[in-house]
Amino acid sequence: LLIDGVDMGTFASRGQARTLALALKLAEAAYLATIRAEGPMVLLDDVLSEMDSARRRRVLEQASRYQQTLITTTDVELAHGFFAGDAAYFQVEAGVVTRSAADRS
């Protein structure tokens, strides 16, 4: 893949490579939603932690287009500020899943 004529496989930073991979996954979800006439389940595993707030907001806006989106994070506030009460929040600790206090606010 090229961005501004530059081969991303050779010259992309780690952050740029992660952003590019995520953009391709979200594009794939949009494509599947179009051809299937229903949205796919979107799974995002700890993609928010290394993003600036503007990029994080754009990713969450895209992810929120789908009825089923599962986002894992070590910092629930990264997603809670965007979804607030429009999402269910769960916490996994020592292998036990519980409803998160963030879900009750």
Side-chain angles (χ1 to χ4, degrees):
L1 294 172
L2 302 176
I3 294 183
D4 293 331
V6 177
D7 181 352
M8 294 303 288
T10 303
F11 295 104
S13 69
R14 189 174 122 197
Q16 289 171 323
R18 285 186 66 168
T19 299
L20 180 60
L22 182 57
L24 289 172
K25 289 295 181 185
L26 290 171
E28 179 182 24
Y31 173 74
L32 289 172
T34 301
I35 63 167
R36 291 184 176 171
E38 77 177 342
M41 180 177 210
V42 176
L43 306 172
L44 301 176
D45 185 20
D46 198 27
V47 298
L48 305 177
S49 61
E50 295 181 12
M51 292 183 182
D52 60 49
S53 61
R55 185 165 292 162
R56 189 169 36 246
R57 176 164 284 289
R58 287 193 302 269
V59 166
L60 293 173
E61 284 171 352
Q62 290 299 310
S64 69
R65 295 172 47 194
Y66 305 103
Q67 189 173 17
Q68 294 185 75
T69 301
L70 177 65
I71 300 172
T72 66
T73 182
T74 57
D75 184 357
V76 71
E77 291 306 315
L78 295 176
H80 190 262
F82 183 85
F83 293 107
D86 292 335
Y89 297 86
F90 297 89
Q91 181 173 337
V92 179
E93 189 170 343
V96 177
V97 179
T98 57
R99 194 100 184 201
S100 174
D103 198 21
R104 299 179 199 117
S105 58

